[in-house]
Short mmCIF file of all heavy atoms in Angstrom, two decimals:
data_model
loop_
_atom_site.label_atom_id
_atom_site.label_comp_id
_atom_site.label_asym_id
_atom_site.label_seq_id
_atom_site.Cartn_x
_atom_site.Cartn_y
_atom_site.Cartn_z
N ASN A 58 -100.75 272.64 99.54
CA ASN A 58 -101.80 273.61 99.21
C ASN A 58 -103.11 273.06 99.69
O ASN A 58 -103.30 271.83 99.72
CB ASN A 58 -101.85 273.85 97.69
CG ASN A 58 -100.63 274.59 97.20
OD1 ASN A 58 -100.15 275.49 97.86
ND2 ASN A 58 -100.10 274.19 96.06
N LYS A 87 -86.63 272.65 87.01
CA LYS A 87 -85.97 271.34 86.99
C LYS A 87 -85.24 271.10 85.67
O LYS A 87 -84.36 270.24 85.60
CB LYS A 87 -87.01 270.24 87.20
CG LYS A 87 -87.70 270.25 88.56
CD LYS A 87 -88.78 269.19 88.63
CE LYS A 87 -89.55 269.24 89.93
NZ LYS A 87 -90.66 268.22 89.96
N PHE A 114 -96.21 278.80 80.47
CA PHE A 114 -94.89 278.34 80.00
C PHE A 114 -94.24 279.38 79.09
O PHE A 114 -93.08 279.70 79.25
CB PHE A 114 -95.05 277.00 79.26
CG PHE A 114 -93.76 276.45 78.72
CD1 PHE A 114 -92.93 275.66 79.51
CD2 PHE A 114 -93.37 276.71 77.40
CE1 PHE A 114 -91.74 275.16 79.02
CE2 PHE A 114 -92.18 276.21 76.90
CZ PHE A 114 -91.36 275.42 77.72
N LYS A 126 -80.67 288.15 78.64
CA LYS A 126 -80.22 289.43 78.05
C LYS A 126 -79.47 290.25 79.11
O LYS A 126 -78.43 290.87 78.80
CB LYS A 126 -81.44 290.23 77.53
CG LYS A 126 -82.06 289.66 76.26
CD LYS A 126 -83.25 290.52 75.85
CE LYS A 126 -83.93 289.95 74.61
NZ LYS A 126 -85.13 290.76 74.23
N VAL A 138 -78.59 285.37 90.38
CA VAL A 138 -79.81 284.73 89.87
C VAL A 138 -79.96 283.35 90.49
O VAL A 138 -79.12 282.45 90.26
CB VAL A 138 -79.77 284.61 88.35
CG1 VAL A 138 -81.05 283.97 87.83
CG2 VAL A 138 -79.56 285.97 87.71
N ARG A 167 -85.25 287.88 96.86
CA ARG A 167 -84.31 287.17 96.01
C ARG A 167 -84.66 287.42 94.55
O ARG A 167 -85.82 287.60 94.21
CB ARG A 167 -84.33 285.67 96.27
CG ARG A 167 -83.20 285.21 97.20
CD ARG A 167 -83.11 283.71 97.27
NE ARG A 167 -81.94 283.32 98.05
CZ ARG A 167 -81.72 282.11 98.51
NH1 ARG A 167 -82.59 281.16 98.28
NH2 ARG A 167 -80.64 281.82 99.20
N VAL A 218 -104.30 292.63 94.92
CA VAL A 218 -104.97 291.44 95.49
C VAL A 218 -105.84 291.80 96.69
O VAL A 218 -106.80 291.10 97.01
CB VAL A 218 -103.95 290.36 95.88
CG1 VAL A 218 -103.15 289.93 94.67
CG2 VAL A 218 -103.03 290.79 97.01
#
Side-chain angles (χ1 to χ4, degrees):
N58 290 320
K87 296 176 184 177
F114 179 87
K126 288 180 182 178
V138 182
R167 262 189 174 167
V218 301

